[in-house]
Amino acid sequence: SMNPDLASERQTASFSVEKLTAWLDGGAEHTQIRRAVVEAIESDPVFSRENQYFQSQNERYEAAVRKGVHLQKKMHEMGWTENGPESKYIYRALSGDVAFSLHRVFKRSIWVLGSDKQIAKWIPLASQYQVIGTYAQTELGHGTYLQGLETTAVFDVTTQEFILHTPTISAMKWWPGDMGRSATHTVVFAQLYIHGKCYGVHPFIVQIRSLQDHSLCPGITAGDIGPKMSFEHADNGYLMLQKVRVPRENMLNKFCEVQPDGTYVTRGSEKINYFPMTTVRISIILDEVIIPLMKACTIAIRYSVVRRQSKLKPGEQEAKILDYQTQQEKLLPQLAAAYAFLLINNYLQELLDRAYKEIQRKNFDTLPELHACSSGFKAMVTQYSTSAVEICLRACGGHGYSLLSGLPSLYTRILASCIYEGENTILFLQTARFLMKCFMAASAGQPIPPSVTYLAAVKPGKCPAKSKLDFLSPDIYTEAYQHAAVRLISSTAAKLQDLIQSGVKKYDAWNQCTVQLVQAAKAHCHYISVENFAETVEKLETKPGIQKIMKHLCDLFALHGIFSNAGLFLHDGYLSGAQMDMVTASYLDLLAVIRRDAVPLVDAFDFTDKSLNSALGSYDGHVYQRLYEWAQKSPTNKQISPAYEKYLKPLLHNSLSKL
Amino acid sequence: SMNPDLASERQTASFSVEKLTAWLDGGAEHTQIRRAVVEAIESDPVFSRENQYFQSQNERYEAAVRKGVHLQKKMHEMGWTENGPESKYIYRALSGDVAFSLHRVFKRSIWVLGSDKQIAKWIPLASQYQVIGTYAQTELGHGTYLQGLETTAVFDVTTQEFILHTPTISAMKWWPGDMGRSATHTVVFAQLYIHGKCYGVHPFIVQIRSLQDHSLCPGITAGDIGPKMSFEHADNGYLMLQKVRVPRENMLNKFCEVQPDGTYVTRGSEKINYFPMTTVRISIILDEVIIPLMKACTIAIRYSVVRRQSKLKPGEQEAKILDYQTQQEKLLPQLAAAYAFLLINNYLQELLDRAYKEIQRKNFDTLPELHACSSGFKAMVTQYSTSAVEICLRACGGHGYSLLSGLPSLYTRILASCIYEGENTILFLQTARFLMKCFMAASAGQPIPPSVTYLAAVKPGKCPAKSKLDFLSPDIYTEAYQHAAVRLISSTAAKLQDLIQSGVKKYDAWNQCTVQLVQAAKAHCHYISVENFAETVEKLETKPGIQKIMKHLCDLFALHGIFSNAGLFLHDGYLSGAQMDMVTASYLDLLAVIRRDAVPLVDAFDFTDKSLNSALGSYDGHVYQRLYEWAQKSPTNKQISPAYEKYLKPLLHNSLSKL
């Protein structure tokens, strides 16, 4: 049976949900593979997340290890391989609660940074889980700024060993996943010293736990860093090294080597060092950010047509809360953003594929653009999505605040994505640095990469829109975004130049512009997202049913951005106040249009109830029944609390005489 | 010993921290009382929060009950009374992790809604904890809209009893604190039926647990609603009533009564019903919202002068992260907001005191203004502060994400304040309704309440500022805020009128304006906050040291708001783009000015290390040492996980042969 309020929403879809799903998956054949993977994972009781909201950190760690170990068996059983078509759906289907994700980073870093000999030795061991690895870069006192790392690796020419050491407490490795309790080995980043001279940060393989009994190796102090806002299942750890010796061949040496006599040799391009970081940054966007956002939208939108509150019209039944304009204004822009980001993810994947092909041909020219794009979009998508998930949570009122809604755990986890793999402000500033360079190059008539060619063709002027309907034209709003981005980039470049010309030191001038540089980078990314969405919609000619609804979502994404950042468009009069009123009117009209298809639009994401793990978001809409049933399973209802005997009984002891 | 980076920040304060603390407390004598209460609570081991971050929901509930019971003893011992000068510091000192907060609401509702006889019977029992009460209003399917409640109370004239009943699952009471496991009694709100006729929602006292053995009473189903995003210590509960009979005298009957023959009588003004809700709404703002924000600022700002990251100038040491403009731009506006909200809280308290005096004289005329103000400011302050605490958390990077920073628990708790005691969107709309009425009245030349008289004197025009320094004049920015508020209120009123005149039904027209009505309400509250801050600063003439720094904070609060909401000021050309550039320049200059006093400004909040309970925020700045020491206490480090024997050992079993 289905809640009738939710059922009625599905009868009026303006498009085929199944076709939209297939399009989102990149073809019906992919949908089939995805569903098969999800089915295989969800039907296996080891992978159940049923009790997730009731488990302690210890219980979740244990379950994650169990799942991690079981996954190897499962993959073998199912014939799934690490590079097979199923692979991209496996971790999604597990919803991330599985151990050994840092083990994968350990392997990848050996692939990229290790010599053929090192790869031949370590990769088979790691692939068969005969060692469990992690990746120890961040220190207690040092994050993004790698040059600041304090851990040392001193080459001892007499024994042909490196002596790894943690000189201060702030040099302790801190945060690596799988390190607190699981890993036997780790890649450690440390400052290389040879004959007293520092050669900068290099990676070393270090064993930290015995393969016999898992006890810590001599000189190793390691443990768990304790509770975090989420990732309870992960044993993020710390590591202190007390003059730990590793053989010379444990330095990963594809790009540089210490020879037996202590001679330091580098080889190959160091630019390529950024490539793995960039791929990781792109790879998290879908599974860790966009999918959680899609889940949050699914939960909040389904709940908003089941929940009724107050009367919209006198004499009628209480209204579905999604019929309130304010509720539409909370949720529907987040839904449009989820679609926009799915398309941005495709854009980044294409950019990455192109760059990878060039790299194969030893052409590294595309790397700066790829780096700037992946940094900016990682920052934009994580920041926007985090705030969007919070909006979804709050839009569900009190019930959204219950862990059983699934929304708090989506929020606390997605929040971390703003911090890991590059803190967002720093990433935006990297994009901004690229934009400044390109703007200068464009001004000097030099060639610039494809994604920023718009900087070369600056058109001043005013927006030509004359009615609210004009703002449903992609040309109109795309140009407005482009104009705003150019204005912010050029005015910040001018401020930077002015400061330097007035005698301010370059680094001071940069610091004094960083608030505006971040704004400029955001505006650039926002523009590219809107343009990419509009272009994708245009190419959908052969799928008119989908094209129409995607066009609405694209319009909403664009107009929501203008409405919410009005100052950027009004500042130099590109949009007038009267035009902004037209934007607002069109924006509010769109909310009512998309509201009709809101449920089919989240149904198309095709999440199973198990993957949502939400009492509010299930397909059948039996919200209240499920909240009540799930609450029964809470450990808080499993026994009479000792608090009664210990504290309440003595307090209440003489009540009976009085009542 | 103190971290030298933090110590150096304290040597250059431009004002006396002790004097600022005294001013914030409303006089040095209050500071003394506050410190004595904090000292008494924190020196008592029962009230320790040392293990808070490691406890399960069950453990936290038990600790909260223990604290709640012990608090009675403590108060008696210390000679503290419920209305004494210490009372307002007790719950603050406990940091909220204590049971029986709904018991206080139970008592207050009897005070306000009960007859003298009912007060005489129940208040002494409740005060001596011979009953433990809670307050059951919200239902699983019904929140803010009280008329929609489904629980019924049918008067049985033959037995002189009310029969309380939960007719559907959505009618189950859901969320009341202290109900899941502690309470023996509750006030239940139910639809009153007499001879088949419904008289609307009324309050009834119902016993739910035996005073003898705490078992559930006949007809009662009750339990805990399970895990939430925070408030782990609170046993938020559910309650189902199966034809539970209570005597006629259990209906709280100060304002209405059912006589033995079933005659329904009302008496007194029903307006006063809103008064308790309003006082609760105001009372949470300080302890549940502003103080957590002040704590978050303290933690993040202290950490930001201890943490060093990257080099600002080549060749120098890594820089304190607070020396980066982007970090200043994250944190300092939140600090300014904390001060602004402290002053808004004073403003609301004064408004409340004045209203209360009028009510004593049976004059209820001030209630609409008080209701509108308290609704709007509750919504504004909770929303702004929630986002501010999130900013503080993220500004601390990875370590902010550790529970040991104290920031995640501040965030997950403050987030709830956006939902409870009135969902924020609904509250903003109540303020907006008041503003619309007042605007119409003003347009018609009728008198309007003091806080909105500015609506009567609409001055169109342009901002007269000519340089960035002009924007440090409170007159300039206060007028800009006023202008923006008037514009939004008047344009939304016009849209509403137009829609209605064009034939749209009134309720539809209202719904179509709600997004803009919320904007208008926010602009009004923002204006009043800025004006109140500026007026307070002006009155500080006799305290020039404090006045100067408060003036900077007021300027920052105001200019940050203009910078972040530029569209509101540019829309009709009140500010030009060139003037907005001046605002930006002044705003960025202020960041550098206030940065110098940032640490003394949070020191003045005078939080003890125990009350912050943060590894990052302690007074001595020994951040890394404390993170490491606290992590050792985590249950994740207390034993070898069974996961090793069960899952890892078999996985690693044949590694030794290969290595």
Side-chain angles (χ1 to χ4, degrees):
Chain A
S1 82
M2 198 186 291
N3 174 292
D5 284 335
L6 190 46
S8 72
E9 298 282 335
R10 295 190 168 118
Q11 285 154 10
T12 52
S14 78
F15 57 90
S16 152
V17 170
E18 191 63 24
K19 279 186 189 161
L20 181 52
T21 300
W23 180 67
L24 290 173
D25 278 322
E29 65 283 11
H30 294 283
T31 302
Q32 245 180 332
I33 297 171
R34 179 174 55 71
R35 286 181 181 162
V37 170
V38 168
E39 164 63 22
I41 298 279
E42 292 187 351
S43 64
D44 188 326
V46 173
F47 297 125
S48 167
R49 289 159 62 225
E50 200 187 330
N51 291 314
Q52 177 181 311
Y53 303 130
F54 308 125
Q55 288 176 325
S56 70
Q57 201 182 352
N58 275 334
E59 288 163 343
R60 291 191 67 175
Y61 165 69
E62 194 182 320
V65 170
R66 185 180 179 210
K67 288 180 194 178
V69 171
H70 187 66
L71 181 60
Q72 311 315 313
K73 219 174 97 185
K74 190 84 186 176
M75 287 180 70
H76 186 75
E77 216 176 276
M78 302 297 296
W80 299 338
T81 61
E82 280 194 44
N83 302 310
E86 296 86 4
S87 65
K88 63 176 174 172
Y89 303 119
I90 297 173
Y91 294 95
R92 187 191 304 185
L94 291 164
S95 288
D97 251 13
V98 61
F100 314 137
S101 51
L102 266 287
H103 181 69
R104 293 204 299 281
V105 178
F106 173 77
K107 273 167 70 182
R108 196 182 303 146
S109 64
I110 294 172
W111 263 117
V112 176
L113 305 171
S115 64
D116 292 346
K117 205 174 145 191
Q118 289 171 325
I119 291 172
K121 174 177 178 183
W122 292 102
I123 295 294
L125 287 170
S127 296
Q128 295 159 50
Y129 283 84
Q130 292 176 351
V131 301
I132 298 171
T134 177
Y135 181 87
Q137 179 177 299
T138 304
E139 296 177 355
L140 192 43
H142 307 277
T144 313
Y145 183 68
L146 291 192
Q147 292 164 264
L149 294 180
E150 292 180 87
T151 304
T152 54
V154 176
F155 184 60
D156 181 347
V157 72
T158 59
T159 63
Q160 294 289 301
E161 288 170 321
F162 296 105
I163 308 165
L164 281 111
H165 189 62
T166 305
T168 65
I169 187 166
S170 58
M172 198 182 322
K173 296 296 176 183
W174 198 268
W175 278 109
D178 298 331
M179 178 181 270
R181 308 203 251 177
S182 298
T184 62
H185 289 68
T186 180
V187 169
V188 171
F189 283 82
Q191 303 283 357
L192 170 64
Y193 283 85
I194 310 172
H195 300 316
K197 186 181 164 193
C198 183
Y199 289 83
V201 171
H202 288 72
F204 303 84
I205 296 181
V206 181
Q207 183 174 353
I208 59 172
R209 285 187 177 89
S210 155
L211 291 169
Q212 200 131 35
D213 63 2
H214 219 238
S215 62
L216 292 171
C217 293
I220 300 291
T221 306
D224 189 284
I225 64 165
K228 299 139 293 185
M229 204 167 174
S230 177
F231 291 89
E232 299 93 339
H233 70 284
D235 56 324
N236 297 89
Y238 59 81
L239 171 71
M240 247 187 306
L241 301 145
Q242 262 144 9
K243 308 225 161 150
V244 172
R245 288 174 172 265
V246 302
R248 192 174 61 89
E249 51 269 29
N250 277 25
M251 182 171 112
L252 291 176
N253 58 10
K254 182 184 267 174
F255 299 109
C256 49
E257 192 180 354
V258 178
Q259 293 179 338
D261 65 348
T263 307
Y264 179 83
V265 183
T266 56
R267 53 173 166 257
S269 163
E270 290 208 6
K271 268 191 196 169
I272 190 70
N273 272 332
Y274 290 95
F275 191 67
M277 227 155 70
T278 303
T279 60
V280 173
R281 207 164 274 154
I282 294 175
S283 74
I284 59 150
I285 291 182
L286 183 62
D287 283 353
E288 289 292 338
V289 188
I290 303 175
I291 289 188
L293 170 59
M294 290 156 65
K295 286 184 179 177
C297 288
T298 304
I299 296 167
I301 286 174
R302 287 183 181 164
Y303 176 65
S304 294
V305 299
V306 172
R307 179 72 172 188
R308 291 175 171 273
Q309 167 90 37
S310 301
K311 297 190 181 181
L312 202 48
K313 303 184 189 182
E316 284 199 356
Q317 192 185 2
E318 290 187 57
K320 294 176 176 181
I321 57 176
L322 196 58
D323 286 326
Y324 292 96
Q325 189 188 50
T326 46
Q327 188 76 356
Q328 293 165 11
E329 212 260 337
K330 285 176 194 175
L331 297 179
L332 302 183
Q334 318 317 324
L335 177 64
Y339 277 92
F341 296 159
L342 278 172
L343 302 179
I344 271 297
N345 184 56
N346 295 345
Y347 172 91
L348 285 173
Q349 290 297 343
E350 279 168 32
L351 207 64
L352 182 64
D353 291 347
R354 277 204 303 276
Y356 192 69
K357 275 182 204 143
E358 291 302 316
I359 287 167
Q360 307 283 65
R361 289 188 235 151
K362 305 277 175 209
N363 172 10
F364 303 114
D365 294 351
T366 56
L367 284 181
E369 185 186 21
L370 180 68
H371 176 67
C373 265
S374 65
S375 299
F377 282 115
K378 185 272 183 185
M380 182 184 88
V381 174
T382 57
Q383 193 144 316
Y384 200 114
S385 301
T386 298
S387 132
V389 172
E390 203 214 81
I391 290 170
C392 290
L393 188 156
R394 282 164 55 174
C396 295
H399 295 329
Y401 194 75
S402 164
L403 290 200
L404 307 181
S405 74
L407 292 164
S409 56
L410 287 173
Y411 175 76
T412 52
R413 184 169 174 133
I414 200 173
L415 177 64
S417 71
C418 297
I419 301 164
Y420 63 60
E421 297 303 332
E423 195 277 328
N424 281 352
T425 304
I426 295 172
L427 291 184
F428 274 131
L429 288 173
Q430 299 198 0
T431 306
R433 202 176 279 278
F434 169 79
L435 292 172
M436 289 297 113
K437 274 188 198 159
C438 293
F439 181 78
M440 302 300 184
S443 309
Q446 291 158 7
I448 49 177
S451 64
V452 289
T453 44
Y454 75 95
L455 292 176
V458 184
K459 293 165 273 182
K462 310 271 177 198
C463 171
K466 294 200 163 40
S467 74
K468 68 176 181 176
L469 291 180
D470 288 346
F471 280 101
L472 301 179
S473 151
D475 286 347
I476 294 283
Y477 55 68
T478 306
E479 287 234 349
Y481 274 95
Q482 187 187 96
H483 181 87
V486 171
R487 183 180 62 76
L488 285 166
I489 293 165
S490 61
S491 68
T492 311
K495 177 178 169 185
L496 199 56
Q497 290 287 73
D498 287 353
L499 283 168
I500 292 168
Q501 274 165 19
S502 75
V504 178
K505 289 266 174 15
K506 217 169 168 182
Y507 50 81
D508 265 343
W510 179 263
N511 191 25
Q512 287 174 38
C513 291
T514 45
V515 166
Q516 287 148 308
L517 285 163
V518 168
Q519 277 192 322
K522 282 183 186 169
H524 166 74
C525 293
H526 211 149
Y527 158 56
I528 302 286
S529 318
V530 168
E531 197 194 31
N532 181 60
F533 203 155
E535 278 179 8
T536 309
V537 169
E538 211 177 322
K539 286 184 208 141
L540 269 168
E541 282 163 340
T542 58
K543 298 185 171 66
I546 294 173
Q547 189 181 41
K548 194 175 163 205
I549 186 71
M550 284 300 113
K551 167 73 168 55
H552 289 320
L553 287 171
C554 178
D555 294 348
L556 184 69
F557 179 69
L559 298 189
H560 171 71
I562 299 178
F563 175 76
S564 315
N565 301 285
L568 297 186
F569 300 88
L570 291 165
H571 187 280
D572 61 351
Y574 184 81
L575 287 190
S576 67
Q579 285 173 318
M580 193 55 73
D581 291 339
M582 296 171 199
V583 167
T584 305
S586 263
Y587 168 58
L588 296 176
D589 288 348
L590 272 170
L591 293 176
V593 170
I594 295 170
R595 185 261 169 267
R596 289 179 221 136
D597 280 320
V599 169
L601 280 167
V602 297
D603 284 352
F605 294 151
D606 200 28
F607 290 116
T608 61
D609 285 356
K610 280 186 181 166
S611 81
L612 293 172
N613 207 12
S614 163
L616 304 188
S618 289
Y619 191 81
D620 66 12
H622 292 313
V623 165
Y624 301 129
Q625 192 68 37
R626 207 168 263 113
L627 268 176
Y628 180 51
E629 279 166 16
W630 289 16
Q632 309 305 309
K633 296 192 246 168
S634 168
T636 52
N637 286 319
K638 284 287 157 74
Q639 47 161 64
I640 301 252
S641 169
Y644 172 66
E645 282 291 330
K646 284 201 238 173
Y647 310 117
L648 290 178
K649 199 173 169 183
L651 192 70
L652 294 163
H653 71 289
N654 63 350
S655 318
L656 285 168
S657 56
K658 310 268 175 95
L659 261 170
Chain B
S1 81
M2 198 186 289
N3 174 291
D5 284 333
L6 190 46
S8 72
E9 299 282 334
R10 294 189 169 117
Q11 285 155 9
T12 52
S14 78
F15 59 91
S16 152
V17 170
E18 191 64 24
K19 280 186 189 160
L20 180 53
T21 300
W23 179 68
L24 289 173
D25 279 322
E29 65 283 12
H30 293 284
T31 301
Q32 245 179 333
I33 296 171
R34 180 175 55 72
R35 286 179 181 165
V37 170
V38 168
E39 165 63 22
I41 298 278
E42 292 187 351
S43 64
D44 188 326
V46 174
F47 296 125
S48 167
R49 289 160 60 226
E50 201 188 329
N51 291 315
Q52 178 181 309
Y53 303 130
F54 308 125
Q55 288 175 326
S56 69
Q57 201 182 352
N58 275 333
E59 287 164 343
R60 292 190 67 176
Y61 165 70
E62 192 181 322
V65 170
R66 186 181 180 207
K67 288 179 193 178
V69 171
H70 187 67
L71 181 60
Q72 312 313 312
K73 219 173 98 185
K74 190 84 186 178
M75 287 180 69
H76 186 76
E77 215 176 275
M78 301 297 297
W80 299 338
T81 61
E82 280 194 44
N83 302 310
E86 296 86 3
S87 65
K88 64 176 173 171
Y89 304 119
I90 297 172
Y91 294 95
R92 186 189 306 185
L94 290 164
S95 289
D97 250 13
V98 62
F100 312 138
S101 51
L102 266 285
H103 181 69
R104 294 205 298 281
V105 179
F106 172 78
K107 273 168 68 181
R108 196 181 303 144
S109 63
I110 294 172
W111 263 117
V112 176
L113 305 172
S115 65
D116 291 347
K117 206 174 145 192
Q118 289 171 325
I119 291 172
K121 173 176 177 184
W122 291 101
I123 296 294
L125 287 170
S127 296
Q128 295 159 51
Y129 283 83
Q130 292 175 352
V131 300
I132 298 171
T134 178
Y135 182 87
Q137 181 176 296
T138 303
E139 297 176 355
L140 191 43
H142 307 277
T144 312
Y145 183 68
L146 291 193
Q147 292 163 262
L149 294 180
E150 292 179 87
T151 304
T152 54
V154 176
F155 184 59
D156 180 348
V157 71
T158 58
T159 62
Q160 294 288 301
E161 288 170 322
F162 295 104
I163 309 166
L164 282 111
H165 189 63
T166 305
T168 65
I169 187 165
S170 58
M172 199 182 322
K173 297 296 178 184
W174 197 269
W175 277 109
D178 298 332
M179 180 182 270
R181 309 204 251 177
S182 297
T184 62
H185 289 69
T186 181
V187 169
V188 171
F189 284 81
Q191 303 283 359
L192 171 63
Y193 282 85
I194 310 172
H195 300 315
K197 186 182 164 193
C198 183
Y199 288 84
V201 171
H202 288 72
F204 303 83
I205 296 181
V206 181
Q207 182 174 352
I208 60 172
R209 285 188 177 88
S210 155
L211 291 168
Q212 201 129 33
D213 63 3
H214 218 238
S215 62
L216 293 172
C217 293
I220 300 290
T221 306
D224 190 283
I225 63 164
K228 299 140 291 184
M229 204 167 173
S230 177
F231 291 89
E232 298 92 338
H233 70 284
D235 56 325
N236 297 88
Y238 60 81
L239 172 70
M240 247 186 306
L241 302 145
Q242 262 144 7
K243 307 224 162 154
V244 172
R245 288 173 172 267
V246 301
R248 192 172 62 89
E249 52 268 28
N250 276 26
M251 181 170 112
L252 292 176
N253 59 8
K254 181 182 267 171
F255 300 110
C256 49
E257 194 180 351
V258 178
Q259 292 180 341
D261 64 349
T263 307
Y264 179 82
V265 183
T266 56
R267 51 174 168 257
S269 162
E270 290 206 8
K271 268 191 196 169
I272 189 71
N273 271 333
Y274 291 94
F275 192 67
M277 227 155 68
T278 302
T279 61
V280 173
R281 208 164 275 157
I282 294 176
S283 74
I284 60 149
I285 290 182
L286 184 62
D287 283 353
E288 290 292 339
V289 187
I290 303 175
I291 289 190
L293 170 58
M294 290 156 65
K295 286 184 178 176
C297 288
T298 305
I299 295 167
I301 286 174
R302 285 182 182 163
Y303 176 65
S304 295
V305 299
V306 172
R307 178 71 173 190
R308 289 175 173 273
Q309 167 91 35
S310 302
K311 297 190 180 183
L312 204 46
K313 301 184 190 183
E316 283 198 356
Q317 194 186 1
E318 288 187 58
K320 294 177 175 181
I321 57 176
L322 197 58
D323 286 326
Y324 292 95
Q325 190 188 48
T326 46
Q327 187 77 354
Q328 293 166 12
E329 211 261 335
K330 285 176 194 174
L331 296 179
L332 302 182
Q334 318 317 324
L335 177 63
Y339 277 90
F341 296 158
L342 279 170
L343 302 178
I344 271 298
N345 184 56
N346 295 346
Y347 172 92
L348 285 173
Q349 291 295 343
E350 280 167 31
L351 206 64
L352 181 64
D353 291 348
R354 277 205 303 277
Y356 192 69
K357 275 183 202 140
E358 291 302 316
I359 287 167
Q360 308 284 64
R361 290 188 235 151
K362 305 275 175 213
N363 171 11
F364 301 115
D365 295 350
T366 57
L367 285 182
E369 185 185 21
L370 179 69
H371 177 67
C373 265
S374 65
S375 299
F377 282 116
K378 184 274 184 183
M380 183 184 87
V381 174
T382 57
Q383 193 144 316
Y384 200 115
S385 301
T386 298
S387 132
V389 172
E390 201 214 84
I391 291 170
C392 290
L393 187 157
R394 280 165 55 171
C396 294
H399 295 331
Y401 194 76
S402 164
L403 290 200
L404 307 180
S405 73
L407 292 164
S409 55
L410 288 172
Y411 174 77
T412 52
R413 185 170 173 131
I414 199 173
L415 177 65
S417 71
C418 297
I419 302 166
Y420 63 60
E421 297 305 331
E423 195 277 329
N424 281 352
T425 304
I426 295 171
L427 292 183
F428 274 131
L429 287 173
Q430 298 199 359
T431 306
R433 203 176 279 279
F434 170 79
L435 292 172
M436 288 297 113
K437 274 188 197 160
C438 293
F439 181 76
M440 303 300 186
S443 309
Q446 291 157 9
I448 49 177
S451 63
V452 288
T453 44
Y454 74 96
L455 292 176
V458 184
K459 292 167 273 182
K462 310 272 178 197
C463 171
K466 293 199 165 42
S467 73
K468 68 174 181 176
L469 292 180
D470 287 346
F471 280 101
L472 301 179
S473 152
D475 286 346
I476 294 285
Y477 56 67
T478 306
E479 288 235 349
Y481 274 95
Q482 188 187 96
H483 180 87
V486 171
R487 183 180 61 76
L488 284 167
I489 292 165
S490 61
S491 68
T492 312
K495 176 178 170 184
L496 200 54
Q497 290 287 72
D498 287 353
L499 282 168
I500 292 167
Q501 275 165 17
S502 74
V504 178
K505 288 264 174 17
K506 217 169 167 181
Y507 49 81
D508 264 344
W510 179 263
N511 191 24
Q512 287 174 38
C513 290
T514 44
V515 166
Q516 287 148 308
L517 285 163
V518 168
Q519 276 193 321
K522 283 183 185 170
H524 166 76
C525 293
H526 211 150
Y527 160 56
I528 303 285
S529 318
V530 168
E531 195 193 34
N532 181 61
F533 202 155
E535 278 178 9
T536 309
V537 168
E538 210 178 322
K539 286 183 208 141
L540 269 168
E541 281 162 340
T542 58
K543 298 185 170 65
I546 294 173
Q547 187 180 40
K548 194 176 162 204
I549 186 71
M550 284 299 116
K551 168 73 166 59
H552 288 322
L553 287 171
C554 179
D555 294 347
L556 184 68
F557 179 70
L559 298 189
H560 171 72
I562 299 178
F563 175 76
S564 315
N565 302 283
L568 297 185
F569 300 89
L570 292 165
H571 187 280
D572 61 351
Y574 184 81
L575 288 190
S576 67
Q579 285 173 320
M580 193 55 73
D581 291 340
M582 297 171 197
V583 167
T584 305
S586 262
Y587 168 59
L588 296 176
D589 288 350
L590 272 169
L591 292 177
V593 170
I594 294 170
R595 184 260 168 269
R596 288 177 221 137
D597 280 319
V599 168
L601 280 168
V602 297
D603 284 352
F605 294 150
D606 200 29
F607 291 115
T608 61
D609 285 355
K610 280 185 180 165
S611 81
L612 293 173
N613 205 13
S614 164
L616 304 187
S618 289
Y619 191 82
D620 65 13
H622 292 313
V623 165
Y624 301 128
Q625 193 68 39
R626 208 168 262 113
L627 267 177
Y628 180 51
E629 280 167 14
W630 289 15
Q632 310 305 308
K633 295 192 247 167
S634 168
T636 52
N637 287 318
K638 283 287 157 72
Q639 48 162 61
I640 301 252
S641 168
Y644 172 65
E645 282 290 331
K646 282 201 241 173
Y647 311 116
L648 291 177
K649 199 171 168 184
L651 192 69
L652 295 163
H653 72 288
N654 63 350
S655 319
L656 286 167
S657 56
K658 310 267 176 97
L659 262 170

